[in-house]
């Protein structure tokens, strides 16, 4: 029997992983919040047989890489089980102090070197794929692929771009710590101290949200758009990438997205009406359901958060 990704919610994979919530989809499959023996995990389910690749990935052991806990096949599909992140740090890493930013960049360099030496490429070295687990900053593992010369080059290019975004100049790369995981804990504590203030502010309480820290200097921002009655419910869908309690933070993020991906047409959307939070970063404005699905897939393919989602905001 063939199931849609939504229909798999509630199923138990491999007799132990209960799929409790659909977190998102990418070009290969879907991600779920799962429960196993009272603990949480992220389970990716994908079409086809990829067991050997993920068996090798499960052998990876680096303190700044999200662990692959298990993998296998179920009804002709491959499932992969990952550590569940405590926080997603996109939007907060650029608030780190200089020494803390250096340690995060050093940790990421260490991860990439480790992966490349073992035949893997990361393929998505961006702030959206940095997570906190306990007192450690880690790169997510679901984007792993077999390494090629082109993929390795792309990983280092993305690392350099991220280092620049975090204010770590090329001149400082040679002085980065060679044992960054011993110091990165201080950096993650600083980031989590920033993001934890927003832990209970989102209306998507059950969805692992993307948290951000306050931004001191905000670029010119788009106007908050309150929901307007739609002539037809089909045109009232929106694709939401980020949730904020402060308008300035949402506007800053929308501006950042538009500078990097102008085709996404990011804007600030307020479901509660003008001036009332939460403030959401919406992509593409009001669209139809089918358009929202295509836009959501495009955004994720460009590296935006995996928990980007589409929703009908008809009142």
């Amino acid at each position: 029997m063939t199931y849609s990704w939504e229909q798999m919610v509630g199923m138990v994979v491999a007799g132990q992983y209960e799929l409790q919530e659909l977190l998102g989809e990418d070009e290969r499959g879907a991600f779920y919040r799962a429960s196993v023996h009272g603990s949480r995990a992220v389970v990716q389910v994908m079409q086809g047989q990829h067991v050997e690749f993920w068996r090798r990935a499960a052998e990876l052991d680096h303190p700044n890489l999200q662990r692959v806990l298990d993998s296998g096949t179920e009804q002709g599909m491959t499932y992969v089980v990952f550590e569940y992140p405590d926080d997603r740090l996109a939007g907060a890493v650029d608030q780190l102090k200089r020494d803390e930013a250096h340690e995060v960049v050093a940790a990421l360099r260490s991860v990439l070197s480790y992966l490349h030496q073992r035949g893997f490429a990361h393929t998505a070295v961006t702030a959206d794929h940095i997570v906190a687990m306990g007192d450690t900053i880690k790169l997510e593992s679901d984007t792993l692929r077999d390494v090629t010369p082109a993929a390795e080059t792309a990983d280092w290019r993305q690392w350099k771009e991220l280092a620049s975004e975090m204010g770590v100049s090329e001149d400082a790369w040679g002085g980065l710590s060679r044992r960054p995981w011993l110091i990165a804990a201080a950096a993650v504590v600083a980031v989590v101290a920033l993001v934890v203030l927003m832990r209970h502010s989102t209306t998507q309480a059950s969805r692992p949200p993307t948290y951000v820290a306050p931004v001191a200097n905000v670029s010119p921002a788009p106007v908050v758009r309150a929901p307007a009655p739609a002539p037809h419910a089909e045109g009232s869908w929106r694709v939401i990438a980020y949730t904020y309690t402060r308008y300035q933070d949402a506007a800053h993020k929308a501006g950042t997205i538009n500078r990097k991906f102008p085709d996404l047409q990011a804007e600030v959307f307020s479901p509660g009406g003008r001036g009332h939070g939460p403030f959401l970063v919406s992509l593409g404005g009001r669209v139809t359901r089918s358009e929202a699905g295509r836009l959501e897939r495009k955004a994720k393919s460009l590296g935006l958060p995996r928990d980007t989602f589409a929703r009908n905001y008809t009142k």
Side-chain angles (χ1 to χ4, degrees), residues 96-275:
L96 290 173
K97 297 177 181 178
R98 181 178 178 181
D99 58 337
E100 295 164 345
H102 279 220
E103 296 307 329
V104 173
V105 171
L108 300 183
R109 182 176 70 174
S110 176
V111 171
L112 293 182
S113 296
Y114 176 87
L115 288 173
H116 296 161
Q117 291 169 6
R118 287 158 180 78
F120 293 88
H122 188 267
T123 76
V125 189
T126 67
D128 291 324
H129 292 278
I130 301 175
V131 296
M133 297 180 185
D135 62 352
T136 306
I137 283 177
K138 298 190 179 189
L139 265 180
E140 290 183 305
S141 295
D142 60 90
T143 64
L144 293 178
R145 302 291 187 271
D146 285 313
V147 72
T148 64
E152 183 173 353
T153 298
D155 274 356
W156 287 120
R157 182 181 66 251
Q158 292 175 347
W159 176 79
K160 292 176 181 178
E161 291 173 352
L162 180 59
S164 178
E165 291 174 8
M166 296 177 64
V168 180
S169 66
E170 187 171 352
D171 293 339
W173 294 349
L176 295 175
S177 170
R178 295 294 177 178
R179 294 190 297 167
W181 50 89
L182 298 179
I183 313 171
V188 75
V189 168
V191 176
V192 173
L194 293 170
V195 303
V196 75
L197 297 176
M198 304 182 67
R199 184 180 298 276
H200 302 293
S201 64
T202 175
T203 57
Q204 299 295 314
S206 62
R207 178 184 302 275
T210 300
Y211 299 101
V212 296
V215 179
N217 297 313
V218 180
S219 303
V223 176
V224 178
R225 299 182 183 274
H232 191 278
E234 178 62 14
S236 298
W237 287 76
R238 286 183 178 273
V239 176
I240 306 301
Y242 299 89
T243 301
Y244 298 84
T245 55
R246 299 199 330 158
Y247 167 76
Q248 294 95 324
D249 300 332
H252 176 78
K253 191 62 176 182
T256 300
I257 293 173
N258 285 333
R259 285 190 293 273
K260 192 170 184 179
F261 306 113
D263 290 346
L264 292 182
Q265 301 178 36
E267 63 182 21
V268 181
F269 169 65
S270 176
R274 186 181 300 275

Side-chain angles (χ1 to χ4, degrees), residues 234 288-295 297:
E234 178 62 14
T288 65
R289 182 173 184 174
S290 60
E291 290 170 340
R294 289 194 295 270
L295 185 56
R297 290 190 292 272

Side-chain angles (χ1 to χ4, degrees), residues 23-25 207 210 239-242 283 295-297 299-300 304-310:
L23 298 177
E25 305 173 23
R207 178 184 302 275
T210 300
V239 176
I240 306 301
Y242 299 89
L283 308 177
L295 185 56
E296 178 184 348
R297 290 190 292 272
K300 291 175 180 177
L304 269 69
R306 190 174 62 221
D307 50 4
T308 296
F309 64 97

